Amino acid sequence: MSSNILVKRVCKLCKVLFDAKTTVTLYCSDSCRKKAYKLKKKEEKITSSNLETQSELIKPIEQIFNKPYLSIEEASQLFGISRRTIYRMIDKNEITFAKAGSRTILKHEDFLNLFEKPKPIKPIREKRLIPEFYSIKEIEDKYLLKYRRLYEIIKKQNIPTTLHLGKLQVSKFHIDKYFKNNRTDNTDIKVWYSVEEIIQIYNLNRDQVYGRISEYKLPKQRIGKYIKVSKIHFDKIMKVEI
């Protein structure tokens, strides 16, 4: 006995609302049903074709995977890494190689072993606490240099700094270490030349004087706007040059 009850459905193909006789009716008409069937078969063919194509593409990879030795191109294709990266790995002795004429031959096993080697863990360096700091003025007074030059040293040498009450503080340890390695202690020097005196005594021009001061890292000090250079140190290098 058939039912006369009509069920509201939406056609799976044309999305039109229609009256269906059953709750499982999918299409509003025989025309939509046939069109849907054709579309389904077409999609099945496309899927089948794609799978066939994918299989053809995979075949060379499968053949390469079973080879004990690989060329550079094969290794690049198999492991998805660039030729340049492979050459860098050879330079670092991470993989072995052999030459067959002009061809470079690699061991497949070496690449597989890379994944088994544990990566070394870099030790975490403990941060050293800095107990003492200089103020900028303390450094200027102690080492006789201007702030601009001091700022260049701090930036170039990456010397630790901090702020205290809004004022810049510089690591005492790092500053003292820098000047110990780059400047002679001036405390025992009693006699100093001015640049003008050196020019007159040694018949040098100003650039030659400053060039020697810089080259030999001669002890110097600033008095007002004038530079004073250790007499004993400058005389010593001039005797050596003569």
Side-chain angles (χ1 to χ4, degrees):
M1 181 176 176
S2 62
S3 173
N4 293 324
I5 299 174
L6 296 179
V7 181
K8 293 295 183 182
R9 300 281 291 170
V10 175
C11 181
K12 290 290 184 181
L13 183 69
C14 66
K15 307 302 180 184
V16 171
L17 184 67
F18 69 98
D19 295 327
K21 293 184 179 181
T22 70
T23 56
V24 294
T25 305
L26 300 179
Y27 306 102
C28 64
S29 64
D30 189 56
S31 174
C32 281
R33 181 182 60 79
K34 290 179 179 179
K35 288 179 181 178
Y37 177 78
K38 289 180 180 179
L39 285 174
K40 182 181 178 181
K41 289 299 180 182
K42 183 178 181 180
E43 288 174 358
E44 288 176 353
K45 288 181 180 180
I46 291 173
T47 301
S48 176
S49 176
N50 288 341
L51 290 173
E52 184 180 349
T53 301
Q54 188 175 3
S55 176
E56 290 298 319
L57 293 173
I58 290 174
K59 280 183 181 178
I61 299 295
E62 291 177 341
Q63 293 172 356
I64 294 172
F65 187 80
N66 293 322
K67 295 175 65 174
Y69 298 97
L70 305 170
S71 67
I72 296 288
E73 186 62 39
E74 287 172 337
S76 175
Q77 184 179 1
L78 181 60
F79 294 100
I81 52 181
S82 67
R83 296 167 60 92
R84 181 177 297 181
T85 298
I86 294 174
Y87 282 117
R88 283 202 297 264
M89 293 167 71
I90 292 173
D91 292 338
K92 293 179 181 179
N93 294 320
E94 293 178 352
I95 52 176
T96 54
F97 73 99
K99 283 288 187 180
S102 60
R103 296 185 64 196
T104 300
I105 306 300
L106 311 171
K107 289 179 69 175
H108 189 160
E109 184 181 0
D110 284 353
F111 287 91
L112 299 178
N113 290 338
L114 288 174
F115 298 100
E116 298 177 0
K117 293 179 181 178
K119 292 184 178 179
I121 300 174
K122 294 183 180 179
I124 300 174
R125 295 180 61 184
E126 295 184 2
K127 291 185 178 180
R128 179 177 179 177
L129 294 177
I130 302 173
E132 296 181 279
F133 290 86
Y134 279 131
S135 69
I136 297 298
K137 189 174 186 312
E138 286 173 334
I139 301 173
E140 289 176 338
D141 292 342
K142 181 174 182 178
Y143 291 108
L144 303 169
L145 76 166
K146 295 297 183 181
Y147 175 74
R148 183 174 179 181
R149 173 57 182 152
L150 174 59
Y151 177 77
E152 291 173 354
I153 293 171
I154 292 171
K155 187 175 181 181
K156 185 176 181 180
Q157 302 298 323
N158 198 25
I159 293 176
T161 61
T162 188
L163 286 175
H164 179 65
L165 300 177
K167 293 185 178 180
L168 187 66
Q169 304 281 302
V170 186
S171 168
K172 185 177 186 297
F173 170 80
H174 292 83
I175 281 290
D176 289 342
K177 181 180 178 181
Y178 170 81
F179 283 107
K180 181 180 179 181
N181 295 334
N182 293 276
R183 184 181 290 189
T184 306
D185 187 9
N186 297 344
T187 54
D188 295 329
I189 300 173
K190 305 300 181 184
V191 185
W192 301 83
Y193 275 139
S194 68
V195 174
E196 286 69 22
E197 287 173 333
I198 296 174
I199 292 173
Q200 293 177 5
I201 293 170
Y202 288 105
N203 194 29
L204 301 173
N205 61 40
R206 191 172 295 273
D207 288 340
Q208 290 172 328
V209 174
Y210 282 110
R212 284 167 172 78
I213 294 172
S214 175
E215 179 181 357
Y216 294 100
K217 294 184 173 60
L218 299 180
K220 63 181 185 295
Q221 62 177 341
R222 181 182 293 275
I223 301 176
K225 63 180 181 179
Y226 299 101
I227 295 293
K228 295 286 187 176
V229 185
S230 168
K231 182 179 184 301
I232 187 172
H233 288 82
F234 202 94
D235 289 343
K236 185 177 180 180
I237 66 160
M238 292 306 295
K239 286 180 181 179
V240 171
E241 289 187 2
I242 293 171

